[in-house]
């Protein structure tokens, strides 16, 4: 009986050491939050309303306008370009509050405020003339 108790005790201790020696499974993280090996947390959201729109003027806010209860930048946001809920169509970018096509717009060729002297073609100024 004593031999069985000792054998049982040794088995329990061996199992406990194997379980505690195995590394703990790390918490799962989304690979989309990793850029360059560093974690970029989401931007803070600021709740606002028509009565408390000044919350959007606080430094660190997403933008100075209050749209649908959240602070947004109506100058650069594709969902609120130039005003609340004025979304840019597919393939267009918000530059200075206007939806533009960066591939053909002479005033915003390839990027916002990149002006061409003659023509914008596929995002390049005066290409192949």
């Amino acid at each position: 009986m004593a031999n069985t108790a000792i054998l049982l005790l040794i088995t329990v201790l061996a199992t406990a050491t194997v379980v505690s020696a195995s590394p703990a499974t790390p918490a799962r993280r989304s690979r989309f939050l990793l850029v360059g090996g560093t974690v970029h947390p989401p931007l803070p959201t600021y709740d606002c309303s028509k009565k408390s729109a000044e919350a959007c003027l606080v430094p660190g806010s997403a933008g100075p306008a209050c749209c649908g209860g959240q602070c947004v930048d109506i100058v650069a946001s594709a969902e609120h370009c130039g005003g609340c809920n004025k979304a840019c169509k597919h393939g267009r970018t918000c530059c200075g509050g206007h939806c533009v096509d960066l591939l053909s717009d002479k005033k915003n060729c390839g990027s916002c405020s990149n002006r061409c002297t003659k023509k914008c073609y596929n995002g390049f100024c005066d290409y192949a003339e």
Side-chain angles (χ1 to χ4, degrees):
M1 179 83 168
N3 289 339
T4 308
I6 292 174
L7 184 60
L8 182 63
L9 181 63
I10 292 173
T11 307
V12 169
L13 289 176
T15 307
T17 13
V18 170
V19 170
S20 65
S22 65
T25 307
R28 236 182 114 134
R29 285 199 238 173
S30 171
R31 63 186 168 109
F32 298 109
L33 295 177
L34 294 175
V35 178
T38 59
V39 176
H40 297 280
L43 294 173
T45 57
Y46 290 86
D47 294 331
C48 63
S49 67
K50 289 183 179 182
K51 293 180 181 178
S52 66
E54 65 271 358
C56 297
L57 301 175
V58 175
S61 169
C66 180
C67 295
Q70 289 192 338
C71 299
V72 295
D73 183 5
I74 60 171
V75 176
S77 172
E79 293 84 24
H80 306 283
C81 188
C84 292
N85 300 322
K86 293 184 179 180
C88 292
K89 293 180 182 177
H90 180 72
R92 296 190 169 249
T93 305
C94 186
C95 292
H98 300 285
C99 293
V100 297
D101 184 2
L102 296 179
L103 298 177
S104 62
D105 191 344
K106 279 178 60 173
K107 295 177 184 174
N108 302 287
C109 187
S111 65
C112 293
S113 301
N114 184 25
R115 295 183 179 267
C116 294
T117 55
K118 295 181 184 177
K119 187 177 179 182
C120 178
Y121 183 73
N122 285 333
F124 294 100
C125 286
D126 309 324
Y127 181 74
E129 285 198 29

